[in-house]
Each structure stands twice: as C-alpha cells, then as structure tokens.
C-alpha cells in the first residue's frame, strides 16, 4: 500500500474564516464541477521558503486579473492570505521538514466556476513539496526546443476571448508540448508565434542577456524578455527580477524577439515561480553562449532574485 501524497488542502468557505481543511487523500470535487468538465477556471502557483511565500502580492494580483478576464467571481485577497497561512501551517505540522529541500513548498491557488448550475465558484489552496526536478534544473540547466504555438503575435488584441494573458486551468496544450519535448530528448519548450516571434515557455517566461563593453571600458549587462503584449502571460518572477536587476545596474529590454536573438544571446533562461531561474544550455541542439559566462550571470541573477520577498 502506497503512502498518501504529502499534500494539504484548504478550501475557501465563508463558514470558515481561515479556510476549511480537507483530506487530500479523499475525493473533494463534484464530478459536475466545471473545472473538471471544462477546464473552466484559473490558478496561481507560488513558492514558499521557510514558511514565507515569495511574491504573494504579485500572484494575488495576477489571480485577480485572470478572474476578471474570465468574468469569474473569486474570494478576496485577505481570505486567500488566511487560507494560504493555514495550508502552510498545516503542512509543516503534518509533514515536518527533515532536510533543507523539504522547506521549499509549492502553494497552488485554484478557482473553478463551480458545479454546473450553481451560483458560486469552488476555491482552494493546495500545499505540497517542491519537486526535486526543478532544483536539479536550476543547477544543471535545460535543453529546449522551439515549437510553433499556432497563433500570431497580435492575436491577444484581436481575440481577447482566447484568454492569452490569463492563467487558466486549460493547460492540456502546454502539457502536450512538454511531453513532445521529452520525446525529442529535450527538457522544455519555447513557443514561437506563427509570425516568428519568441513568446514563452509552457510554464515559464523567457529571459536572455547580452554583456557588452561600452566606449569608456565599462561593462554593460542587458536583460531582455519578449514583449508583454504579444499574447503571453505576464511573469511575476520576470517582473520581480527586472526590478531587482535595474536596481543593480542592469539595462532592461522588451522584445520583439526572434529565434536568432536567442541563439545570439550570451545567456538564456526560463524563469518561473517554483523552478526559479533555469539556464538554457541548448536550443534545438545548438549551444547557447559560453558555459563560463552563463554560470557567472546565472549566479548574479540568482542572488538578486533571492533578495526578492
């Protein structure tokens, strides 16, 4: 008999000010919940380290933006904060950390449109251990392939009903892209628009860096990400790192980017809230930058990111 997964659930319920704890080993959703039947809902995924959630305000704000895009009524931010605290405390009590890695927890916020015909949404917090694969990829880097997403870079403006900038539960295509990459011997994907623009990863934001020497002999470091109006999800990690990098003297840029810009970069990363900064070693089998410079830049940006609350 297998042990139950170390997951703690807390449902947001008006009758429970701090959320209603639920047994993760038992069924909790109705089979008619529209999150299950239609993928109709939204979510956010955050990292908690030593009990403190990173960038919680940015994630709550983005959750609200996704809810607005879907015309979805969700609990208030104070309710989420109380349920998150209860979930983390519950996980620490039930599954005490025994190694430093155990103190990294994934905190997932989920809202569905609820049971068909009902007037209220279903909302919960899920707390679980951070996957070891993410920590490994931070250290060793990843191999990536480019895939056509099938939309041009202006579709978000023309067709807002496609919800390109919302973080919805409809992740079947994203997961299919990752499975395809692994069948090709790669770790991850960078999506391209049908008109050849660099977009994002299935669960991450793309960053690239250039290091140049200016006319007066000083070193100029530039951090660049794709244009945010190209139908991509605004990355909370990208936004926080840009803020920290600017304060540290980096120049910043926002696309538009094409595949050759990735190949010409001194370093490329995929960044996300749980895996954090994962260096890209190869794209479609082509080496990116030089390993020594990539390692140096990754260490610098990782240190800057570590100071973000």
């Amino acid at each position: 008999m297998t042990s139950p997964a170390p997951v703690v659930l807390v449902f947001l319920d008006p009758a429970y000010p701090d959320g209603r704890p639920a047994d993760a080993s038992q069924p909790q959703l109705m089979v008619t919940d529209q999150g299950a039947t239609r993928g109709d809902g939204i979510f956010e995924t955050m990292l908690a380290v030593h009990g403190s959630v990173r960038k919680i305000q940015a994630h709550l704000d983005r959750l609200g933006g996704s809810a607005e895009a879907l015309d979805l009524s969700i609990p208030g931010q104070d309710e989420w904060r109380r349920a998150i605290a209860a979930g983390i405390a519950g996980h620490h009590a039930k599954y005490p950390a025994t190694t430093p890695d155990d103190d990294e927890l994934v905190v997932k916020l989920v809202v569905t449109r609820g049971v068909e015909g009902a007037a209220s949404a279903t909302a919960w917090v899920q707390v679980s251990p951070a996957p070891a694969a993410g920590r490994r990829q931070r250290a060793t880097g990843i191999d990536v392939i480019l895939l056509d997403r099938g939309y041009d870079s202006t579709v978000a403006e023309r067709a807002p009903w496609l919800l390109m900038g919302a973080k919805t539960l409809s992740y079947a295509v994203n997961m299919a892209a990752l499975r395809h990459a692994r069948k090709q011997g790669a770790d991850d994907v960078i999506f391209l628009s049908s008109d050849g623009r660099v977009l994002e990863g299935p669960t991450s934001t793309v960053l690239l860096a250039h290091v140049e020497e200016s006319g007066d002999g000083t070193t100029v470091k530039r951090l660049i990400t794709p244009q945010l109006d190209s139908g991509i999800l605004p990355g909370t990690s990208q936004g926080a790192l840009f803020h920290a990098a600017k304060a540290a003297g980096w120049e910043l840029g926002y696309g538009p980017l094409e595949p050759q810009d990735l190949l010409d970069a001194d370093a490329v990363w995929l960044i996300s809230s749980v895996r954090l900064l994962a260096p890209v070693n190869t794209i479609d089998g082509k080496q990116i930058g030089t390993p020594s410079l990539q390692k140096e830049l990754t260490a610098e940006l990782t240190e800057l990111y570590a100071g973000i609350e």
Side-chain angles (χ1 to χ4, degrees), residues 138-206:
R138 292 176 210 164
T140 63
I142 54 178
D143 297 317
V144 169
I145 60 174
L146 302 177
L147 292 182
D148 187 346
R149 191 177 227 169
Y151 299 108
D152 67 48
S153 59
T154 64
V155 69
E157 182 178 355
R158 295 197 325 273
W161 52 88
L162 292 177
L163 304 174
M164 301 302 292
K167 196 171 180 71
T168 74
L169 293 177
S170 304
Y171 257 47
V173 170
N174 300 51
M175 297 301 100
L178 288 175
R179 290 193 297 273
H180 177 78
R182 287 158 191 161
K183 289 176 183 177
Q184 312 307 310
D187 302 298
D188 214 316
V189 167
I190 292 176
F191 284 126
L192 303 177
S193 65
S194 59
D195 53 341
R197 297 290 175 83
V198 174
L199 297 175
E200 59 191 343
T203 62
S204 58
T205 305
V206 178

Side-chain angles (χ1 to χ4, degrees), residues 274-297:
V274 173
R275 185 172 58 183
L276 306 182
L277 201 64
V280 175
N281 296 329
T282 65
I283 296 178
D284 287 343
K286 302 180 179 69
Q287 180 72 43
I288 301 301
T290 58
S292 58
L293 182 55
Q294 180 203 66
K295 184 176 181 180
E296 176 187 328
L297 295 174

Side-chain angles (χ1 to χ4, degrees), residues 69-125:
L70 271 71
D71 296 320
L72 189 61
S73 178
I74 67 172
Q77 292 191 359
D78 287 344
E79 295 172 78
W80 282 111
R81 286 178 181 273
R82 290 194 297 270
I84 290 166
I88 293 173
H91 199 282
H92 284 160
K94 192 171 184 179
Y95 308 105
T98 57
T99 71
D101 288 344
D102 292 341
D103 227 358
E104 285 193 3
L105 296 176
V106 177
V107 180
K108 192 170 186 177
L109 316 182
V110 185
V111 188
T112 78
R113 201 169 295 278
V115 175
E116 293 183 34
S120 60
T122 306
W124 71 92
V125 174

Side-chain angles (χ1 to χ4, degrees), residues 10-11 172 186 251:
V10 177
F11 279 79
E251 293 186 358

Side-chain angles (χ1 to χ4, degrees), residues 210-212 219-223 249-252 296-297 300:
H210 287 287
V211 180
E212 302 165 358
T219 299
V220 177
K221 298 174 183 176
R222 184 173 296 108
L223 193 59
W250 287 64
E251 293 186 358
L252 307 178
E296 176 187 328
L297 295 174
E300 181 176 349

